[in-house]
Amino acid sequence: MQITSDKAFQKSNSVQQVFETIDANLQRYIDFLCHICSYEARAYDKVTIDRMADYIVTFSHSEGFQITRTPMESCGDFLTVEINPGKEKAGLFMAHMDTVFDKGAFGQPPVRREGDRITGPGVIDCKGGIAIALLCMKALLDHGFDKHVRLILTSDEEVSNILGGEKEQQFFREQTAGFPCAINCETAEKDQVVVGRKAILMYRLDIKGVGGHAGKHVFTAKNAAVEAAYKIIALHEKSVPGGTTYSCNIVSGGTAANVIPDSCSVTIDIRALTVKDMETATQELEAVARTAFVPGTTCTVNLLSTRPPMEKTPQTLELLNGLLNVCHKYGLGGLTPIESGGGSDSCYTQAAGIPSICGMGGSGGLLHTTNEFLNPDSIPLRAKILAGFLLDAD
């Protein structure tokens, strides 16, 4: 029993030393976060994201990390940052570099420190998570942690990974293979962690009718916009709180106020809990598309993008328990598990059979708005939870 107690004491002491190193490095990593937030880059802005990647590469080399850059054609290059490659795999971290904002949306300067908040483009979604993962990895590296930890950074997460194509899917397969768990450092509300996410299907319905003069042909033309309105209502009425939802968010049609439109398009965001629900939702959409509410109109269905669900599994809950035990053991607060309607790259790791947790990045609020903010205190807290989890599993 004395040997066991001595080992437990040594591990606890080692963990506390890692926590102290996280605190000692915190300000440098906050500065790093503010710098990468100054790169205002949507997924389509490859030039700016590649400039951000240049900075992350330089910073990572200075911290002693090994880094690999995967060139991409239609979006910013992907990055793989790691410690101890070739050793036993301990865990995989994930985050993304793109945001939803156009340049200039936050004004000048785009990043501001105001009291207990940092505001800026992508500060919690998801650049705060980049800083948290690297801060954790730096502390582990400085204290001789000898297992393989990897962080993968993508650049088109906010557009459901539609830009990377097959090369991106191959990247996920290669970079995630063999890891016992995946922890996505995506945004989170205070104390929350995500154990399940809905699938996302993006479709566009292209409706064709027969145009005409608004004063002469109201009853003989086949108004494509009216047909679109019927279809939107039909889909909206199929949405179920807590279940599958159909959100018709972009409607495009018509040329002038006095011309009956002969075409109209509707872009639809479908969210579903399971793979089976995805299949059912697609069938429901196709049935609405086939129905001509305005006789004489036709409709074609175009799939724009698809992302699988992150279905909650027993392995997910086991991973959650490991994180909760670390919080309790080292006095790091708690984690409240939630299931989210938003998608993330965790959907791919979970679908690949790797137990996954999401939402372990910085906490704050108002993401996807120009008031997006991060609570700086969440950076060391989350970094310590991640480090404690990896050390306890060692």
Side-chain angles (χ1 to χ4, degrees):
M1 288 298 295
Q2 184 62 41
I3 294 175
T4 302
S5 297
D6 287 346
K7 286 183 177 179
F9 173 79
Q10 290 170 2
K11 172 166 283 190
S12 177
N13 189 48
S14 175
V15 170
Q16 292 301 328
Q17 290 175 348
V18 169
F19 289 176
E20 290 171 6
T21 299
I22 288 173
D23 289 333
N25 285 309
L26 176 59
Q27 187 55 57
R28 194 154 47 83
Y29 276 80
I30 289 178
D31 292 342
F32 164 81
L33 169 61
C34 291
H35 192 89
I36 61 175
C37 285
S38 69
Y39 293 95
E40 302 173 84
R42 301 185 72 175
Y44 297 95
D45 187 354
K46 176 174 172 58
V47 172
T48 303
I49 291 181
D50 282 348
R51 286 176 51 222
M52 185 198 317
D54 292 339
Y55 174 76
I56 295 173
V57 168
T58 300
F59 180 85
S60 296
H61 280 312
S62 72
E63 295 297 276
F65 305 136
Q66 296 194 38
I67 188 161
T68 304
R69 187 167 184 155
T70 300
M72 302 297 291
E73 288 72 38
S74 300
C75 56
D77 294 348
F78 294 174
L79 299 178
T80 303
V81 188
E82 49 199 341
I83 60 174
N84 305 317
K87 299 291 185 66
E88 179 185 350
K89 288 178 167 55
L92 174 77
F93 296 148
M94 307 165 69
H96 64 88
M97 298 179 283
D98 57 313
T99 73
V100 300
F101 303 104
D102 290 322
K103 287 182 179 178
F106 279 73
Q108 289 297 326
V111 185
R112 296 180 295 278
R113 305 185 196 190
E114 301 167 335
D116 61 350
R117 292 184 174 188
I118 301 174
T119 63
V123 68
I124 53 170
D125 189 15
C126 164
K127 294 174 184 177
I130 300 175
I132 287 168
L134 292 180
L135 177 56
C136 167
M137 292 165 65
K138 175 61 175 174
L140 292 173
L141 182 66
D142 285 355
H143 285 275
F145 186 75
D146 61 356
K147 291 185 179 180
H148 185 190
V149 180
R150 172 178 286 169
L151 166 66
I152 59 173
L153 300 176
T154 59
S155 63
D156 66 339
E157 193 272 350
E158 292 291 3
V159 292
S160 294
N161 312 94
I162 63 174
L163 301 179
E166 175 55 32
K167 186 172 184 178
E168 179 161 4
Q169 296 308 310
Q170 182 66 21
F171 175 85
F172 276 114
R173 288 191 291 268
E174 292 177 352
Q175 298 298 320
T176 64
F179 281 93
C181 63
I183 298 177
N184 197 342
C185 296
E186 267 280 9
T187 178
E189 298 290 336
K190 184 176 175 60
D191 299 331
Q192 291 182 344
V193 64
V194 179
V195 296
R197 289 188 179 274
K198 286 186 174 182
I200 304 176
L201 295 164
M202 293 285 186
Y203 281 98
R204 189 185 69 243
L205 301 184
D206 290 329
I207 300 160
K208 295 296 183 183
V210 178
H213 189 285
K216 296 180 179 180
H217 305 127
V218 172
F219 299 106
T220 57
K222 313 300 180 184
N223 193 319
V226 173
E227 177 66 17
Y230 277 113
K231 292 186 186 303
I232 289 170
I233 292 170
L235 290 169
H236 177 75
E237 289 178 344
K238 294 180 183 297
S239 295
V240 178
T244 301
T245 58
Y246 304 78
S247 185
C248 301
N249 299 326
I250 303 175
V251 182
S252 177
T255 57
N258 60 349
V259 178
I260 295 171
D262 63 359
S263 65
C264 190
S265 295
V266 181
T267 302
I268 304 150
D269 177 307
I270 301 175
R271 309 273 169 145
L273 288 168
T274 66
V275 172
K276 184 177 180 181
D277 290 340
M278 289 175 68
E279 297 170 352
T280 301
T282 297
Q283 293 168 3
E284 295 277 8
L285 176 72
E286 291 173 344
V288 170
R290 287 193 302 269
T291 302
F293 298 90
V294 175
T297 59
T298 60
C299 180
T300 57
V301 179
N302 301 280
L303 176 63
L304 304 179
S305 67
T306 180
R307 174 180 272 162
M310 175 189 171
E311 295 191 44
K312 184 171 62 176
T313 67
Q315 291 76 23
T316 302
L317 298 180
E318 184 178 347
L319 180 54
L320 171 66
N321 286 334
L323 294 167
L324 291 173
N325 288 338
V326 167
C327 292
H328 176 73
K329 183 176 179 179
Y330 299 109
L332 299 174
L335 295 170
T336 302
I338 66 166
E339 296 183 54
S340 171
S344 82
D345 289 343
S346 297
C347 299
Y348 300 116
T349 52
Q350 191 82 325
I354 302 171
S356 302
I357 285 284
C358 195
M360 279 301 295
S363 68
L366 303 178
L367 71 160
H368 288 203
T369 77
T370 53
N371 294 310
E372 179 176 337
F373 71 91
L374 174 139
N375 301 123
D377 289 349
S378 67
I379 296 177
L381 176 62
R382 290 297 175 104
K384 289 174 183 178
I385 294 173
L386 296 179
F389 173 76
L390 293 175
L391 287 165
D392 269 18
D394 188 14

